[in-house]
Amino acid sequence: MKRYDYLIVGTGLFGAVFAHEMMQRGKSCLMIEKRDHLAGNIYTEEVEGIQVHRYGAHIFHTSDKSVWDYINRFATFNHYVNSPVAIYHDELYNLPFNMNTFSKMWGIKTPAEAKKIIADQIADLGITEPQNLEEQALSLVGRDVYEKLIKGYTEKQWGRPCSELPAFIIKRLPLRFTYDNNYFNDRFQGIPEGGYTQIIEKMIHGADVLLNTDYFTFIKGHEGIAKKILFTGAIDAFFDYCYGPLQYRSVRFETEVLDTDNYQGNAVVNYTAREVPYTRIIEHKHFEFGKQPKTVISREYSSEWKVGVEPYYPVNNEQNTALYEKYRALGATRPDVIFGGRLGQYKYYDMDKVIAAALKAVNDEEAAFL
Ligand code: FAD
Ligand code: UDP
Protein backbone atom coordinates (compact mmCIF):
# COMPACT_ATOMS: atom_id res chain seq x y z
CA MET A 1 0.00 0.00 0.00
CA LYS A 2 1.40 3.42 -1.03
CA ARG A 3 1.78 5.78 1.91
CA TYR A 4 0.86 9.43 1.24
CA ASP A 5 1.71 12.61 3.06
CA TYR A 6 -1.98 13.62 3.13
CA LEU A 7 -5.29 11.84 2.89
CA ILE A 8 -7.74 14.57 1.86
CA VAL A 9 -11.38 13.79 2.51
CA GLY A 10 -13.61 15.81 0.16
CA THR A 11 -12.84 17.28 -3.27
CA GLY A 12 -14.61 20.62 -2.61
CA LEU A 13 -12.82 23.95 -2.76
CA PHE A 14 -11.11 23.61 0.63
CA GLY A 15 -9.70 20.16 -0.14
CA ALA A 16 -8.64 21.19 -3.64
CA VAL A 17 -6.76 24.35 -2.57
CA PHE A 18 -5.03 22.42 0.19
CA ALA A 19 -4.06 19.58 -2.19
CA HIS A 20 -2.78 22.01 -4.81
CA GLU A 21 -0.58 23.88 -2.36
CA MET A 22 0.76 20.74 -0.74
CA MET A 23 1.68 19.21 -4.11
CA GLN A 24 3.49 22.46 -4.97
CA ARG A 25 5.50 21.81 -1.80
CA GLY A 26 6.39 18.30 -2.97
CA LYS A 27 3.86 16.45 -0.81
CA SER A 28 1.82 13.49 -2.04
CA CYS A 29 -1.96 13.58 -1.73
CA LEU A 30 -4.71 10.99 -1.93
CA MET A 31 -8.16 12.56 -2.23
CA ILE A 32 -11.31 10.61 -1.49
CA GLU A 33 -14.82 11.80 -2.28
CA LYS A 34 -18.10 10.14 -1.40
CA ARG A 35 -19.99 11.67 -4.34
CA ASP A 36 -19.56 10.46 -7.92
CA HIS A 37 -17.95 13.71 -9.03
CA LEU A 38 -15.34 16.30 -7.99
CA ALA A 39 -15.82 19.85 -6.75
CA GLY A 40 -18.20 19.54 -3.79
CA ASN A 41 -20.95 22.12 -3.78
CA ILE A 42 -19.37 24.30 -6.45
CA TYR A 43 -19.78 21.48 -9.01
CA THR A 44 -21.08 22.68 -12.37
CA GLU A 45 -22.02 20.50 -15.34
CA GLU A 46 -22.93 21.36 -18.92
CA VAL A 47 -26.57 20.83 -19.96
CA GLU A 48 -27.81 22.14 -23.34
CA GLY A 49 -24.58 24.14 -23.61
CA ILE A 50 -25.31 25.86 -20.28
CA GLN A 51 -23.16 25.55 -17.12
CA VAL A 52 -25.60 24.30 -14.49
CA HIS A 53 -24.74 24.92 -10.82
CA ARG A 54 -25.98 21.60 -9.49
CA TYR A 55 -25.82 22.59 -5.81
CA GLY A 56 -27.20 26.12 -6.04
CA ALA A 57 -26.08 29.42 -7.54
CA HIS A 58 -22.42 30.16 -6.92
CA ILE A 59 -21.23 33.69 -7.55
CA PHE A 60 -17.62 34.37 -6.72
CA HIS A 61 -17.13 37.66 -4.88
CA THR A 62 -14.36 38.96 -2.68
CA SER A 63 -12.65 42.09 -1.46
CA ASP A 64 -9.42 40.22 -0.89
CA LYS A 65 -7.13 40.97 -3.82
CA SER A 66 -4.82 38.05 -3.06
CA VAL A 67 -7.77 35.58 -3.10
CA TRP A 68 -9.06 37.12 -6.36
CA ASP A 69 -5.60 36.81 -7.96
CA TYR A 70 -5.36 33.25 -6.67
CA ILE A 71 -8.66 32.03 -8.18
CA ASN A 72 -7.95 33.85 -11.45
CA ARG A 73 -4.94 31.58 -11.94
CA PHE A 74 -7.40 28.73 -12.57
CA ALA A 75 -10.11 30.39 -14.72
CA THR A 76 -11.11 33.53 -16.55
CA PHE A 77 -13.98 35.28 -14.80
CA ASN A 78 -16.72 37.13 -16.67
CA HIS A 79 -18.25 40.46 -15.64
CA TYR A 80 -21.47 39.03 -14.13
CA VAL A 81 -22.85 41.17 -11.30
CA ASN A 82 -25.45 39.54 -9.11
CA SER A 83 -28.70 41.55 -9.00
CA PRO A 84 -31.50 39.26 -7.84
CA VAL A 85 -35.12 40.29 -7.81
CA ALA A 86 -37.66 39.30 -5.19
CA ILE A 87 -41.25 38.37 -5.92
CA TYR A 88 -43.78 38.83 -3.11
CA HIS A 89 -47.30 37.89 -4.24
CA ASP A 90 -47.80 40.02 -7.38
CA GLU A 91 -45.12 42.58 -6.47
CA LEU A 92 -41.55 42.57 -7.76
CA TYR A 93 -38.67 44.30 -6.00
CA ASN A 94 -34.95 44.77 -6.61
CA LEU A 95 -32.45 43.33 -4.16
CA PRO A 96 -30.41 43.93 -2.11
CA PHE A 97 -32.34 46.53 -0.12
CA ASN A 98 -31.63 49.80 -1.92
CA MET A 99 -33.33 52.89 -3.30
CA ASN A 100 -34.92 50.87 -6.14
CA THR A 101 -36.54 48.63 -3.51
CA PHE A 102 -37.69 51.54 -1.34
CA SER A 103 -38.95 53.59 -4.26
CA LYS A 104 -41.11 50.69 -5.48
CA MET A 105 -42.32 49.88 -1.95
CA TRP A 106 -43.28 53.41 -0.90
CA GLY A 107 -43.49 55.48 -4.10
CA ILE A 108 -40.67 57.77 -2.92
CA LYS A 109 -37.58 59.13 -4.66
CA THR A 110 -34.97 60.35 -2.18
CA PRO A 111 -32.79 58.70 0.48
CA ALA A 112 -34.12 61.17 3.07
CA GLU A 113 -37.71 60.03 2.40
CA ALA A 114 -36.69 56.35 2.67
CA LYS A 115 -34.79 56.91 5.92
CA LYS A 116 -37.71 58.80 7.41
CA ILE A 117 -40.18 56.00 6.62
CA ILE A 118 -37.85 53.38 8.13
CA ALA A 119 -37.27 55.51 11.24
CA ASP A 120 -41.04 56.02 11.67
CA GLN A 121 -41.68 52.29 11.32
CA ILE A 122 -39.23 51.32 14.03
CA ALA A 123 -39.60 54.29 16.39
CA ASP A 124 -41.85 52.45 18.83
CA LEU A 125 -39.87 49.18 18.86
CA GLY A 126 -37.10 50.48 21.13
CA ILE A 127 -34.40 48.22 19.63
CA THR A 128 -30.99 49.47 20.72
CA GLU A 129 -28.81 46.38 20.34
CA PRO A 130 -30.45 43.83 18.03
CA GLN A 131 -30.40 40.40 19.68
CA ASN A 132 -31.58 38.29 16.75
CA LEU A 133 -32.28 38.37 13.02
CA GLU A 134 -35.78 39.82 13.43
CA GLU A 135 -34.60 42.77 15.54
CA GLN A 136 -31.61 43.30 13.26
CA ALA A 137 -33.75 43.32 10.10
CA LEU A 138 -36.45 45.54 11.58
CA SER A 139 -33.95 48.07 12.84
CA LEU A 140 -32.20 48.23 9.46
CA VAL A 141 -35.10 48.34 7.00
CA GLY A 142 -38.36 48.81 8.92
CA ARG A 143 -41.50 46.73 9.11
CA ASP A 144 -42.70 46.74 5.45
CA VAL A 145 -39.46 45.44 3.97
CA TYR A 146 -39.10 42.95 6.82
CA GLU A 147 -42.62 41.57 6.35
CA LYS A 148 -42.52 41.41 2.54
CA LEU A 149 -38.93 40.55 1.69
CA ILE A 150 -37.27 39.00 4.75
CA LYS A 151 -39.59 37.20 7.15
CA GLY A 152 -41.13 34.60 4.81
CA TYR A 153 -37.90 33.94 2.90
CA THR A 154 -35.79 33.57 6.02
CA GLU A 155 -38.26 31.30 7.79
CA LYS A 156 -38.42 29.05 4.71
CA GLN A 157 -34.65 29.08 4.32
CA TRP A 158 -33.82 28.36 7.94
CA GLY A 159 -37.00 26.62 9.18
CA ARG A 160 -36.91 28.71 12.36
CA PRO A 161 -38.59 31.97 13.45
CA CYS A 162 -36.45 35.04 12.68
CA SER A 163 -36.42 35.79 16.40
CA GLU A 164 -34.44 32.57 16.99
CA LEU A 165 -31.79 33.17 14.33
CA PRO A 166 -28.48 35.01 14.73
CA ALA A 167 -28.41 38.62 13.51
CA PHE A 168 -25.25 38.10 11.43
CA ILE A 169 -27.14 36.14 8.74
CA ILE A 170 -28.95 39.26 7.55
CA LYS A 171 -25.83 41.41 7.82
CA ARG A 172 -24.51 39.45 4.84
CA LEU A 173 -26.77 41.58 2.64
CA PRO A 174 -25.88 45.16 1.76
CA LEU A 175 -28.30 47.94 2.69
CA ARG A 176 -27.86 51.08 0.59
CA PHE A 177 -29.54 54.39 0.11
CA THR A 178 -28.33 54.58 -3.50
CA TYR A 179 -29.90 53.17 -6.69
CA ASP A 180 -27.48 50.23 -6.88
CA ASN A 181 -28.74 46.66 -7.35
CA ASN A 182 -25.36 44.93 -6.88
CA TYR A 183 -25.98 42.17 -4.30
CA PHE A 184 -22.41 42.40 -3.03
CA ASN A 185 -20.22 45.23 -1.78
CA ASP A 186 -17.04 43.40 -2.76
CA ARG A 187 -14.43 44.86 -5.09
CA PHE A 188 -14.27 41.73 -7.27
CA GLN A 189 -17.06 39.54 -8.61
CA GLY A 190 -17.80 37.17 -11.48
CA ILE A 191 -18.54 33.69 -12.77
CA PRO A 192 -15.76 31.49 -14.16
CA GLU A 193 -16.14 31.00 -17.91
CA GLY A 194 -16.68 27.27 -18.44
CA GLY A 195 -17.85 26.67 -14.86
CA TYR A 196 -16.28 25.79 -11.52
CA THR A 197 -15.51 22.09 -11.98
CA GLN A 198 -12.54 22.82 -14.28
CA ILE A 199 -11.02 24.97 -11.50
CA ILE A 200 -11.01 22.00 -9.14
CA GLU A 201 -9.68 19.70 -11.89
CA LYS A 202 -6.75 22.05 -12.45
CA MET A 203 -6.08 22.49 -8.75
CA ILE A 204 -5.90 18.80 -7.98
CA HIS A 205 -3.88 17.76 -11.03
CA GLY A 206 -1.27 15.27 -9.81
CA ALA A 207 -3.24 13.96 -6.83
CA ASP A 208 -4.60 10.43 -6.71
CA VAL A 209 -8.40 10.60 -6.50
CA LEU A 210 -11.01 8.03 -5.52
CA LEU A 211 -14.64 8.97 -6.15
CA ASN A 212 -17.64 7.13 -4.64
CA THR A 213 -15.49 6.55 -1.57
CA ASP A 214 -16.79 7.34 1.88
CA TYR A 215 -14.12 8.04 4.49
CA PHE A 216 -15.75 6.01 7.24
CA THR A 217 -15.76 2.84 5.14
CA PHE A 218 -12.43 3.52 3.45
CA ILE A 219 -10.42 4.20 6.60
CA LYS A 220 -11.11 0.72 7.98
CA GLY A 221 -8.15 -1.24 6.67
CA HIS A 222 -6.35 1.91 5.42
CA GLU A 223 -5.51 3.44 8.82
CA GLY A 224 -1.86 4.06 7.98
CA ILE A 225 -2.35 5.30 4.42
CA ALA A 226 -1.23 8.88 5.14
CA LYS A 227 0.82 10.75 7.67
CA LYS A 228 -1.99 13.23 8.12
CA ILE A 229 -5.67 13.63 7.24
CA LEU A 230 -7.51 16.73 6.05
CA PHE A 231 -11.20 16.16 6.74
CA THR A 232 -13.68 18.51 5.02
CA GLY A 233 -16.82 16.52 5.88
CA ALA A 234 -18.99 17.25 8.91
CA ILE A 235 -17.02 17.33 12.18
CA ASP A 236 -19.86 15.78 14.21
CA ALA A 237 -20.04 12.85 11.74
CA PHE A 238 -16.28 12.36 12.13
CA PHE A 239 -16.77 11.78 15.84
CA ASP A 240 -19.84 9.61 15.26
CA TYR A 241 -22.13 12.30 16.75
CA CYS A 242 -20.79 11.46 20.22
CA TYR A 243 -22.16 14.72 21.70
CA GLY A 244 -25.28 14.59 19.52
CA PRO A 245 -25.69 15.97 15.99
CA LEU A 246 -25.11 19.61 15.07
CA GLN A 247 -27.98 21.19 13.15
CA TYR A 248 -27.73 21.91 9.43
CA ARG A 249 -30.10 22.97 6.70
CA SER A 250 -30.36 20.88 3.63
CA VAL A 251 -31.51 21.93 0.17
CA ARG A 252 -33.30 20.03 -2.58
CA PHE A 253 -32.93 21.25 -6.15
CA GLU A 254 -35.60 20.57 -8.76
CA THR A 255 -33.98 21.17 -12.12
CA GLU A 256 -35.80 21.34 -15.46
CA VAL A 257 -34.80 21.98 -19.07
CA LEU A 258 -37.38 24.29 -20.69
CA ASP A 259 -38.03 24.78 -24.36
CA THR A 260 -37.79 28.55 -24.18
CA ASP A 261 -34.77 30.80 -24.50
CA ASN A 262 -35.57 33.03 -21.52
CA TYR A 263 -37.80 31.96 -18.64
CA GLN A 264 -37.48 34.66 -15.99
CA GLY A 265 -35.10 37.28 -17.41
CA ASN A 266 -32.66 37.08 -14.51
CA ALA A 267 -30.29 34.50 -13.03
CA VAL A 268 -31.77 34.67 -9.51
CA VAL A 269 -35.39 35.31 -8.56
CA ASN A 270 -36.27 34.99 -4.86
CA TYR A 271 -39.81 34.07 -3.80
CA THR A 272 -40.23 35.78 -0.46
CA ALA A 273 -43.83 34.81 0.40
CA ARG A 274 -44.16 32.04 2.97
CA GLU A 275 -46.79 30.17 0.91
CA VAL A 276 -44.50 29.56 -2.09
CA PRO A 277 -42.72 26.33 -1.15
CA TYR A 278 -39.37 27.13 -2.78
CA THR A 279 -37.05 29.98 -1.83
CA ARG A 280 -35.68 30.88 -5.25
CA ILE A 281 -35.50 29.95 -8.93
CA ILE A 282 -32.14 30.03 -10.64
CA GLU A 283 -31.95 30.38 -14.44
CA HIS A 284 -28.41 29.24 -15.04
CA LYS A 285 -27.75 30.65 -18.52
CA HIS A 286 -27.95 34.24 -17.27
CA PHE A 287 -24.78 33.76 -15.21
CA GLU A 288 -22.93 33.55 -18.53
CA PHE A 289 -25.16 35.80 -20.68
CA GLY A 290 -26.15 32.62 -22.56
CA LYS A 291 -27.89 32.76 -25.93
CA GLN A 292 -28.84 29.07 -26.20
CA PRO A 293 -32.29 28.21 -27.63
CA LYS A 294 -33.27 26.33 -24.44
CA THR A 295 -32.92 27.18 -20.77
CA VAL A 296 -32.31 25.31 -17.51
CA ILE A 297 -33.95 26.37 -14.25
CA SER A 298 -33.63 25.06 -10.68
CA ARG A 299 -36.12 25.57 -7.88
CA GLU A 300 -34.54 25.50 -4.41
CA TYR A 301 -36.42 23.88 -1.53
CA SER A 302 -34.92 24.20 1.93
CA SER A 303 -35.36 21.50 4.58
CA GLU A 304 -34.10 20.46 8.00
CA TRP A 305 -31.13 18.12 7.86
CA LYS A 306 -31.15 14.69 9.46
CA VAL A 307 -28.48 11.99 9.58
CA GLY A 308 -28.17 10.43 6.11
CA VAL A 309 -29.18 13.60 4.20
CA GLU A 310 -26.67 16.01 2.59
CA PRO A 311 -25.86 18.92 4.96
CA TYR A 312 -25.44 22.35 3.28
CA TYR A 313 -25.75 25.22 5.72
CA PRO A 314 -24.53 25.16 9.33
CA VAL A 315 -27.12 26.71 11.65
CA ASN A 316 -24.82 28.95 13.66
CA ASN A 317 -27.10 29.78 16.58
CA GLU A 318 -25.99 29.79 20.23
CA GLN A 319 -26.90 26.19 20.95
CA ASN A 320 -25.00 24.85 17.93
CA THR A 321 -22.04 27.14 18.50
CA ALA A 322 -21.68 25.70 22.00
CA LEU A 323 -21.98 22.14 20.69
CA TYR A 324 -19.48 22.83 17.90
CA GLU A 325 -17.00 24.11 20.52
CA LYS A 326 -17.12 20.65 22.14
CA TYR A 327 -16.40 18.95 18.82
CA ARG A 328 -13.63 21.45 18.06
CA ALA A 329 -12.00 20.66 21.41
CA LEU A 330 -12.24 16.97 20.61
CA GLY A 331 -10.68 17.67 17.21
CA ALA A 332 -7.75 19.31 18.98
CA THR A 333 -6.96 15.95 20.63
CA ARG A 334 -6.31 14.55 17.12
CA PRO A 335 -3.11 16.26 15.90
CA ASP A 336 -3.11 13.87 12.93
CA VAL A 337 -6.33 15.43 11.58
CA ILE A 338 -7.02 18.92 10.20
CA PHE A 339 -10.70 19.90 10.03
CA GLY A 340 -11.48 22.34 7.21
CA GLY A 341 -14.25 23.97 5.20
CA ARG A 342 -17.93 24.71 5.72
CA LEU A 343 -18.67 21.37 7.34
CA GLY A 344 -15.33 20.66 9.04
CA GLN A 345 -15.29 24.08 10.72
CA TYR A 346 -19.08 24.46 10.92
CA LYS A 347 -18.95 27.97 9.42
CA TYR A 348 -21.21 29.80 6.95
CA TYR A 349 -18.19 30.37 4.68
CA ASP A 350 -18.35 31.84 1.18
CA MET A 351 -15.89 30.57 -1.42
CA ASP A 352 -13.39 33.38 -0.93
CA LYS A 353 -13.28 32.70 2.81
CA VAL A 354 -12.77 29.00 2.12
CA ILE A 355 -9.76 29.76 -0.07
CA ALA A 356 -8.28 32.07 2.57
CA ALA A 357 -8.86 29.46 5.30
CA ALA A 358 -7.30 26.67 3.20
CA LEU A 359 -4.24 28.82 2.48
CA LYS A 360 -3.95 29.53 6.20
CA ALA A 361 -4.15 25.80 6.97
CA VAL A 362 -1.32 25.24 4.49
CA ASN A 363 0.81 27.92 6.15
CA ASP A 364 0.16 26.42 9.58
CA GLU A 365 1.22 23.02 8.24
CA GLU A 366 4.31 24.45 6.62
CA ALA A 367 5.34 26.02 9.91
CA ALA A 368 5.02 22.54 11.44
CA PHE A 369 7.32 20.86 8.89
CA LEU A 370 10.12 23.39 9.34
P1 FAD B 1 -17.94 21.26 0.13
O1 FAD B 1 -18.04 21.90 -1.22
O2 FAD B 1 -19.20 20.86 0.81
O3 FAD B 1 -16.97 19.99 -0.01
C1 FAD B 1 -16.91 18.97 0.96
C2 FAD B 1 -16.78 17.67 0.19
O4 FAD B 1 -16.53 16.61 1.12
C3 FAD B 1 -18.06 17.30 -0.57
O5 FAD B 1 -17.75 17.03 -1.91
C4 FAD B 1 -18.56 16.06 0.17
O6 FAD B 1 -19.22 15.14 -0.66
C5 FAD B 1 -17.25 15.48 0.70
N1 FAD B 1 -17.45 14.63 1.89
C6 FAD B 1 -18.14 14.94 3.01
N2 FAD B 1 -18.11 13.91 3.88
C7 FAD B 1 -17.37 12.92 3.29
C8 FAD B 1 -16.99 11.61 3.68
N3 FAD B 1 -17.38 11.09 4.86
N4 FAD B 1 -16.24 10.87 2.83
C9 FAD B 1 -15.86 11.38 1.61
N5 FAD B 1 -16.19 12.62 1.20
C10 FAD B 1 -16.94 13.38 2.02
N6 FAD B 1 -20.30 30.81 -1.74
C11 FAD B 1 -20.00 31.92 -2.45
O7 FAD B 1 -18.89 32.45 -2.32
N7 FAD B 1 -20.90 32.46 -3.35
C12 FAD B 1 -22.13 31.92 -3.53
O8 FAD B 1 -22.91 32.44 -4.36
C13 FAD B 1 -22.49 30.75 -2.80
N8 FAD B 1 -23.70 30.18 -2.95
C14 FAD B 1 -24.01 29.05 -2.23
C15 FAD B 1 -25.26 28.47 -2.44
C16 FAD B 1 -25.60 27.31 -1.74
C17 FAD B 1 -26.95 26.68 -1.97
C18 FAD B 1 -24.67 26.74 -0.81
C19 FAD B 1 -25.05 25.50 -0.04
C20 FAD B 1 -23.43 27.32 -0.63
C21 FAD B 1 -23.08 28.48 -1.32
N9 FAD B 1 -21.83 29.07 -1.18
C22 FAD B 1 -21.51 30.20 -1.89
C23 FAD B 1 -20.80 28.50 -0.28
C24 FAD B 1 -19.86 27.51 -0.99
O9 FAD B 1 -20.62 26.42 -1.49
C25 FAD B 1 -18.83 27.03 0.02
O10 FAD B 1 -18.08 28.10 0.52
C26 FAD B 1 -17.83 26.02 -0.55
O11 FAD B 1 -18.38 25.15 -1.48
C27 FAD B 1 -17.28 25.21 0.62
O12 FAD B 1 -16.28 24.32 0.18
P2 FAD B 1 -15.88 23.11 1.11
O13 FAD B 1 -14.74 22.42 0.43
O14 FAD B 1 -15.72 23.58 2.48
O15 FAD B 1 -17.17 22.18 1.16
N1 UDP C 1 -32.67 37.03 2.76
C1 UDP C 1 -33.97 37.47 2.83
N2 UDP C 1 -34.65 37.72 1.67
C2 UDP C 1 -34.08 37.54 0.46
C3 UDP C 1 -32.74 37.11 0.39
C4 UDP C 1 -32.07 36.85 1.56
O1 UDP C 1 -34.51 37.62 3.91
O2 UDP C 1 -34.76 37.77 -0.56
C5 UDP C 1 -31.96 36.73 4.04
C6 UDP C 1 -32.14 35.28 4.45
O3 UDP C 1 -32.20 35.25 5.87
C7 UDP C 1 -30.88 34.64 3.97
C8 UDP C 1 -29.87 35.75 4.25
O4 UDP C 1 -30.58 36.96 3.91
O5 UDP C 1 -30.56 33.47 4.67
C9 UDP C 1 -28.59 35.67 3.44
O6 UDP C 1 -28.92 35.67 2.07
P1 UDP C 1 -27.95 35.10 0.98
O7 UDP C 1 -28.50 35.42 -0.36
O8 UDP C 1 -26.57 35.54 1.29
O9 UDP C 1 -28.12 33.53 1.23
P2 UDP C 1 -27.30 32.30 0.63
O10 UDP C 1 -26.84 32.68 -0.75
O11 UDP C 1 -26.20 32.05 1.59
O12 UDP C 1 -28.32 31.22 0.61
Side-chain angles (χ1 to χ4, degrees), residues 323-335:
L323 184 55
Y324 167 68
E325 266 315 305
K326 290 174 74 176
Y327 281 113
R328 203 189 54 76
L330 197 54
T333 67
R334 289 289 303 266

Side-chain angles (χ1 to χ4, degrees), residues 95 149-150 153-154 158 169 172-173 183 270 280 313 348:
L95 291 175
L149 301 182
I150 297 177
Y153 186 95
T154 299
W158 294 98
I169 291 177
R172 285 168 61 85
L173 305 189
Y183 201 59
N270 290 1
R280 51 190 173 190
Y313 292 92
Y348 190 11

Side-chain angles (χ1 to χ4, degrees), residues 10 12 39 56 62 65 70 75 118 121 133 143 168 178 187 202 210-212 240 247-248 261 288 293 324 339 353:
T62 188
K65 173 87 167 61
Y70 188 84
I118 293 172
Q121 291 192 354
L133 194 153
R143 190 160 288 283
F168 83 84
T178 53
R187 282 171 71 196
K202 286 181 202 160
L210 298 173
L211 297 177
N212 300 302
D240 202 19
Q247 292 177 313
Y248 302 87
D261 65 334
E288 295 192 282
Y324 167 68
F339 293 91
K353 300 292 184 305

Side-chain angles (χ1 to χ4, degrees), residues 173-189:
L173 305 189
L175 162 67
R176 305 190 185 103
F177 292 91
T178 53
Y179 287 91
D180 176 358
N181 293 327
N182 185 344
Y183 201 59
F184 303 114
N185 280 329
D186 289 315
R187 282 171 71 196
F188 309 105
Q189 175 173 181

Side-chain angles (χ1 to χ4, degrees), residues 34-35 40-41 55 232-237 241 246-251 253 303-315 342-344 346:
K34 69 177 178 183
R35 296 180 185 173
N41 287 345
Y55 300 95
T232 69
I235 189 166
D236 54 345
Y241 308 104
L246 288 160
Q247 292 177 313
Y248 302 87
R249 291 297 283 172
S250 195
V251 190
F253 301 94
S303 64
E304 195 63 15
W305 170 85
K306 51 184 188 310
V307 175
V309 171
E310 201 65 60
Y312 285 92
Y313 292 92
V315 182
R342 233 188 205 204
L343 303 172
Y346 198 65

Side-chain angles (χ1 to χ4, degrees), residues 59-61 68 78 80-82 182 184 187-191:
I59 301 115
F60 199 96
H61 57 98
W68 181 242
N78 71 14
Y80 177 81
V81 171
N82 198 31
N182 185 344
F184 303 114
R187 282 171 71 196
F188 309 105
Q189 175 173 181
I191 299 285

